Amino acid sequence: MIDWAAIDSAIAIARGAPFAGERRTRLGGGSINTAYRIESAEQAYFVKLNRADRAVMFAAEAAGLAELGQAVGLRIPHVITQGSTEAHAYLVLEYIALEALTPAAMTRLGEGLVDMHGIVATRYGFERDNTIGSSAQPNAWHAQWLEFWRENRLAVMLDALAPHHRGLARDGDALLAVLDTLLDRHRPEPSLVHGDLWGGNVGMDEHGVPVLFDPAVYYGDRETDLAMAELFGGFSPLFFEAYWGAWPMSDGYRHVRRPLYQLYHLLNHARLFGGHYVAESRRVMQQLLARV
């Protein structure tokens, strides 16, 4: 049973004013969390719920949203509060009535992402680990991009898959052994990246401002966001034209780094869903190995 009284109390404390939800509407679209719109006569909020032991996941998401909030030209949901009751962890955000992106908003999204990627750190990683989907995503700081991508991304997924998929594990070991060759001389700035940039995690508010949500934030190669955006669709050519027009594509992205960065997400889907994602992951790895 959901302890709405405790959540209402946490909202009241965070906003410094009384709050009592008068209406709670279950929302669809999420496969990991349960989502609700809760509202009083004056204010509405978006609430995510999961098991009580997932409070750390919501704390990491809140930190990621706060980090993305530095960007200009994009709207990032404001975090109201997060915590847990006896039965549930919760994350409360401002409620944004999302709409599908118009062509103009697609262009604005590309321009806004350029600005966001211009926010940089001195190392690769993030202040805390988070999740990609429901999988743990370690973000330990590294001075070298090659080390970060090998240790914090590909090796983590391959280790999780290895006990169940020996052929995939063999291809993965071979790929990790030549990763320095594939990323030879590629030294990107540690840009602030969304980390899970697919069409289901973007929208537009009532003023046509692009909205980003459900992040898996870290500081890394900006091209990882572009590769993810190309993997599962949802972005029109206007988005890519706006982005690459402002910050041109670097040599080696199309045929090497794009599939290498997409591989991380394919491996995660193989881990979560199995099926054809295992075969697709092996196909991409063998394609990359053939380039060495």
Side-chain angles (χ1 to χ4, degrees):
M1 184 173 180
I2 302 171
D3 189 348
W4 288 112
I7 296 173
D8 286 356
S9 177
I11 293 171
I13 292 170
R15 58 183 251 159
F19 178 81
E22 299 174 2
R23 181 181 302 175
R24 301 176 181 92
T25 306
R26 176 85 176 263
L27 303 175
S31 59
I32 299 171
N33 306 297
T34 304
Y36 287 84
R37 171 188 163 104
I38 65 170
E39 55 189 304
S40 65
E42 300 83 19
Q43 188 68 50
Y45 296 105
F46 179 80
V47 180
K48 284 184 173 183
L49 298 173
N50 209 307
R51 303 189 315 265
D53 61 359
R54 303 308 296 272
V56 172
M57 177 184 72
F58 284 153
E61 181 175 346
L65 289 168
E67 200 77 8
L68 293 181
Q70 302 174 77
V72 175
L74 300 173
R75 185 172 178 184
I76 310 299
H78 178 64
V79 177
I80 307 303
T81 188
Q82 59 87 209
S84 59
T85 65
E86 185 174 342
H88 293 92
Y90 59 83
L91 173 65
V92 183
L93 308 174
E94 67 169 318
Y95 181 82
I96 302 173
L98 293 171
E99 303 174 17
L101 287 105
T102 62
M106 277 287 181
T107 296
R108 292 179 70 175
L109 177 60
E111 296 167 344
L113 198 67
V114 167
D115 176 80
M116 191 183 88
H117 288 164
I119 300 168
V120 297
T122 57
R123 294 176 296 165
Y124 306 96
F126 192 48
E127 63 186 30
R128 62 191 305 159
D129 296 341
N130 48 30
T131 56
I132 180 74
S134 59
S135 299
Q137 178 170 267
N139 291 315
W141 293 103
H142 284 268
Q144 302 297 324
W145 174 241
L146 169 65
E147 295 174 358
F148 178 89
W149 195 252
R150 181 178 57 214
E151 302 301 326
N152 287 12
R153 293 296 179 262
L154 296 183
V156 169
M157 290 298 173
L158 290 167
D159 286 348
L161 287 160
H164 311 288
H165 303 283
R166 294 183 179 180
L168 185 149
R170 285 194 298 271
D171 290 342
D173 287 343
L175 181 67
L176 293 180
V178 299
L179 197 60
D180 56 342
T181 302
L182 290 170
L183 287 176
D184 182 40
R185 293 186 296 277
H186 184 60
R187 305 289 186 271
E189 280 193 301
S191 293
L192 176 61
V193 299
H194 178 278
D196 195 11
L197 192 65
W198 69 288
N201 288 343
V202 301
M204 179 186 78
D205 70 11
E206 67 274 20
H207 304 295
V209 178
V211 181
L212 293 185
F213 49 94
D214 288 354
V217 166
Y218 61 98
Y219 284 88
D221 187 351
R222 67 187 178 101
E223 293 175 350
T224 58
D225 271 348
L226 280 299
M228 177 58 167
E230 291 191 76
L231 180 59
F232 294 122
F235 299 85
S236 80
L238 292 171
F239 164 77
F240 295 102
E241 290 168 6
Y243 186 94
W244 294 124
W247 197 340
M249 186 186 302
S250 302
D251 290 343
Y253 167 75
R254 184 66 66 196
H255 300 296
V256 177
R257 294 191 301 278
R258 180 178 63 173
L260 182 63
Y261 296 158
Q262 289 177 344
L263 176 62
Y264 173 61
H265 299 286
L266 291 171
L267 289 169
N268 189 40
H269 277 61
R271 181 177 175 182
L272 297 174
F273 309 117
H276 76 279
Y277 291 112
V278 176
E280 181 64 9
S281 296
R282 292 198 68 184
R283 185 192 68 79
V284 171
M285 284 192 284
Q286 291 166 3
Q287 177 188 65
L288 287 165
L289 288 167
R291 301 191 67 86
V292 178

